[in-house]
Amino acid sequence: MSGARCRTLYPFSGERHGQGLRFAAGEFIRLLQVPDGGWWEGEKEDGLRGWFPASYVQLLEKPGMVPPPPGEESQIILLPPGWQSYLSPQGRRYYVNTTTNVNGYHAAGTPAHPPETAHMSVRKSTGDSQNLGSSSPGKKQNKENTITINCVTFPHPDTMPEQQLLKPTEWSYCDYFWADKKDPQGNGTMAGFELLLQKQLKGKQMQKEMSEFIRERIKIEEEYAKNLAKLSQNSLAAQEEGSLGEAWAQVKKSLADEAEVHLKFSAKLHSEVEKPLMNFRENFKKDMKKCEHHITDLRKQLASRHAAVEKARKALTERQRDLEIKTQQLEIKLSNKTEEDIKKARRKSTQAGDDLMRCVDLYNQAQSKWFEEMVTTTLELERLEAERVEMIRQHLCQYTQLRHETDMFNQSTVEPVDQLLRKVDPAKDRELWVREHKTGNIRPVDMEI
């Protein structure tokens, strides 16, 4: 895909990234590198180069392709290879790159431009667009289609249309952990992300225990090699002679060779299995801590925004009630003071409505940001888990390979022993020994008188 062109959908400041590429919405960028992970490197028309989130741009099908005129974008939706499109219950189109797990929300095929911030909001808020500042009781926010559970707004089950999964062909983390779950001990609820995080932390603990297991295996090998080397120096049966003596000496030498094989095996276990497991675990631990703190802070912010909405809603109700009372007083007695009170009450009611609308907007922004980070973070957790399992599998395969090699080397140390044992010739040994140690071959005779 290098060399292709893309068009920016949202402004990106790049201030939080040392090599970030700053751009505004609607610019064109030539792609230089498109690695996995959701960050691409590109070059703008003015020659500036840098990195940017892949979800901030729309890839053009061909390097020279001209974007459609305004107003016709909804009729032409060109998706590059690897991208899939789904429709949300609110009518917004959601794109998922099955290769890089980049995602973004769009409405009716047109990019949804979020506010100009350092982070893109992948889902536009679905808050009520009615004028909450109005004093009319008939213009209150419509809440029948949504329910709020632990400060998170969900579609009401009775009115919710069928939702498309973000990754319909997989049992992906990003689709199944939005709601909270009751604590098995009955002490409250546990966020879906916390459940995911516990699984990842359990995986980290399992990896630590595997490393400890390999370390114990290394100790056994080292101790075994030490005992073999010590036994090979033993002088027992050193006086055996002949071809059998040679075979016996080879038996003792094979112990020294085998000890060296096991020492090499333990060294390779340390460098090729135990050490990589420990290093990966440390990096895994850092990634987990970063993900945990970020999502936790966003969830706390969401709870704070929800509390502010409820407080503003209560204030609006009180202001409207006060306005109704003042209006009733006007019907009873007409006076300048009563009219002034009504105007003041109406201003306060309007202000309360404006405050509620502002709080709802802030809540929707917080929930959109939480939604975005939940998607990207759960996909990252999913990637880390797959990477962890694959890494452990590969190193366990390396362990079994080393074991096979050790068995082969051990077999090679006893092959000379087998060869010498096949050459043992008791008759030949007796002949050689007799030739070397004979004292005379004249037999005694009977004594004569």
Side-chain angles (χ1 to χ4, degrees), residues 65-300:
M65 174 179 159
V66 179
E72 297 182 9
E73 293 174 327
S74 60
Q75 302 173 4
I76 303 176
I77 304 177
L78 298 174
L79 295 181
W83 286 84
Q84 294 186 14
S85 172
Y86 311 105
L87 197 63
S88 75
Q90 290 80 21
R92 291 173 173 80
R93 191 163 294 281
Y94 189 78
Y95 297 93
V96 173
N97 188 314
T98 56
T99 303
T100 63
N101 288 331
V102 176
N103 53 80
Y105 259 95
H106 303 265
T110 304
H113 295 266
E116 185 173 352
T117 60
H119 292 280
M120 183 192 72
S121 176
V122 298
R123 185 182 65 171
K124 297 191 73 176
S125 62
T126 58
D128 194 349
S129 60
Q130 292 177 341
N131 182 10
L132 297 177
S134 171
S135 60
S136 171
K139 291 190 177 181
K140 294 182 180 179
Q141 185 180 17
N142 183 11
K143 299 174 60 179
E144 284 77 7
N145 295 332
T146 60
I147 56 175
T148 302
I149 304 175
N150 290 345
C151 304
V152 181
T153 306
F154 295 95
H156 197 285
D158 296 336
T159 60
M160 179 186 69
E162 183 178 356
Q163 286 185 324
Q164 283 276 6
L165 296 178
L166 301 182
K167 299 183 73 174
T169 58
E170 303 177 27
W171 284 88
S172 176
Y173 290 168
C174 66
D175 277 311
Y176 297 100
F177 293 91
W178 292 105
D180 297 343
K181 185 177 182 180
K182 288 186 177 180
D183 192 330
Q185 286 75 28
N187 299 325
T189 59
M190 178 187 302
F193 182 79
E194 290 296 323
L195 196 63
L196 271 180
L197 202 61
Q198 283 192 5
K199 180 188 184 332
Q200 302 299 97
L201 295 176
K202 182 180 178 181
K204 184 190 72 172
Q205 179 63 24
M206 294 302 99
Q207 192 161 337
K208 176 184 177 183
E209 294 179 8
M210 288 178 186
S211 300
E212 293 172 352
F213 177 88
I214 297 297
R215 190 179 305 121
E216 291 300 317
R217 184 72 172 90
I218 292 172
K219 291 180 180 178
I220 292 173
E221 288 296 322
E222 291 175 344
E223 187 67 23
Y224 182 54
K226 179 180 177 182
N227 291 333
L228 285 178
K230 182 179 179 180
L231 184 58
S232 69
Q233 301 298 322
N234 196 293
S235 60
L236 292 175
Q239 303 302 317
E240 182 62 52
E241 299 176 344
S243 58
L244 182 60
E246 292 179 10
W248 176 247
Q250 186 62 43
V251 167
K252 295 169 69 176
K253 182 179 183 302
S254 70
L255 291 182
D257 295 339
E258 188 178 353
E260 185 178 353
V261 168
H262 283 276
L263 276 178
K264 290 181 178 179
F265 175 55
S266 64
K268 287 187 176 181
L269 275 183
H270 173 70
S271 62
E272 299 180 19
V273 180
E274 180 200 11
K275 191 174 180 179
L277 283 175
M278 291 300 296
N279 291 340
F280 185 85
R281 176 180 172 271
E282 290 302 317
N283 295 331
F284 191 81
K285 182 178 180 181
K286 293 176 183 177
D287 291 334
M288 289 301 97
K289 187 172 294 186
K290 180 173 62 177
C291 292
E292 177 184 11
H293 291 168
H294 192 44
I295 295 296
T296 301
D297 290 344
L298 288 176
R299 189 64 186 266
K300 288 180 180 178

Side-chain angles (χ1 to χ4, degrees), residues 333-395:
K333 181 180 180 182
L334 182 61
S335 68
N336 294 334
K337 185 175 184 304
T338 303
E339 290 180 357
E340 186 64 29
D341 289 343
I342 290 176
K343 291 180 181 179
K344 186 183 296 185
R346 184 176 290 115
R347 285 196 300 269
K348 289 182 178 180
S349 178
T350 302
Q351 180 63 42
D354 292 340
D355 291 342
L356 176 57
M357 184 169 60
R358 180 180 57 83
C359 290
V360 169
D361 287 342
L362 291 174
Y363 170 83
N364 287 336
Q365 292 175 20
Q367 180 155 291
S368 294
K369 187 171 182 58
W370 175 73
F371 175 89
E372 172 196 354
E373 295 298 333
M374 275 288 290
V375 170
T376 54
T377 304
T378 52
L379 289 174
E380 177 66 9
L381 292 182
E382 195 169 83
R383 183 191 66 80
L384 288 173
E385 175 66 5
E387 183 179 347
R388 182 187 74 87
V389 173
E390 177 60 21
M391 190 277 300
I392 292 176
R393 186 195 69 81
Q394 290 180 358
H395 285 86

